[in-house]
Amino acid sequence: SPAAAIHFEVDGTVGTNVMPGKIEFYTTPASSTTLTKRMTIDAAGALTLTGVAGSVASGVAKAYCTAIADGTLQSNSFNITSVANTATGKYTVTWDTDFANTNYVVLVTVEDTASEVTGVVATVAVGYVTIEILEVDNWISRPFHILAIGDQ
């Protein structure tokens, strides 16, 4: 029985000068003689890791951004459609690709030297998150960073 294998397969509709493909990686567990699929790279470039407790891919950053105080999205972002400044210190961040459910984690950091400024996740939805930036009990607008981790 094989210890490992790599399979190359068509992944979509073949046409003239069109040949979408995927690569699947297999290994055989120590207590088995059967190959188990561990990783796939599909025609779109999506990487799927399997065969581990849970899925390693679920622990990967699925979205991140930096936005300035008015909500303008900076160029170093990933999987963010837009950031809307809905009121002073209140923002809605919309994902390019929705999360599978609302059981994902969002980390917010705020650029401010004051010790009492906090970024708070107010609402988590599959397609967006709302955050609020507070200084004590008042909403303020400040540049912020977001990192989201979860299943999509």
Side-chain angles (χ1 to χ4, degrees):
S1 60
I6 301 173
H7 294 177
F8 301 88
E9 299 178 10
V10 172
D11 187 22
T13 303
V14 176
T16 305
N17 296 321
V18 177
M19 180 58 75
K22 67 179 174 182
I23 305 171
E24 297 177 330
F25 296 82
Y26 294 79
T27 62
T28 301
S31 60
S32 177
T33 58
T34 305
L35 287 170
T36 301
K37 185 176 6 175
R38 303 297 189 179
M39 181 173 70
T40 302
I41 303 171
D42 69 15
L47 173 68
T48 304
L49 300 173
T50 55
V52 202
S55 173
V56 174
S58 67
V60 176
K62 299 296 178 76
Y64 53 83
C65 77
T66 297
I68 60 176
D70 68 0
T72 302
L73 188 61
Q74 300 301 287
S75 62
N76 59 337
S77 66
F78 172 70
N79 195 31
I80 308 288
T81 300
S82 64
V83 177
N85 184 356
T86 58
T88 301
K90 297 183 180 188
Y91 303 88
T92 298
V93 179
T94 304
W95 313 124
D96 280 338
T97 302
D98 290 353
F99 282 83
N101 53 49
T102 58
N103 298 324
Y104 61 92
V105 175
V106 178
L107 171 67
V108 179
T109 61
V110 180
E111 291 184 26
D112 198 295
T113 56
S115 61
E116 297 180 7
V117 174
T118 306
V120 177
V121 176
T123 305
V124 176
V126 294
Y128 67 92
V129 65
T130 60
I131 66 163
E132 297 177 357
I133 299 175
L134 298 157
E135 183 174 33
V136 187
D137 291 328
N138 298 310
W139 286 284
I140 60 171
S141 294
R142 295 290 187 272
F144 63 89
H145 311 274
I146 289 183
L147 173 69
I149 300 172
D151 293 330
Q152 287 184 304

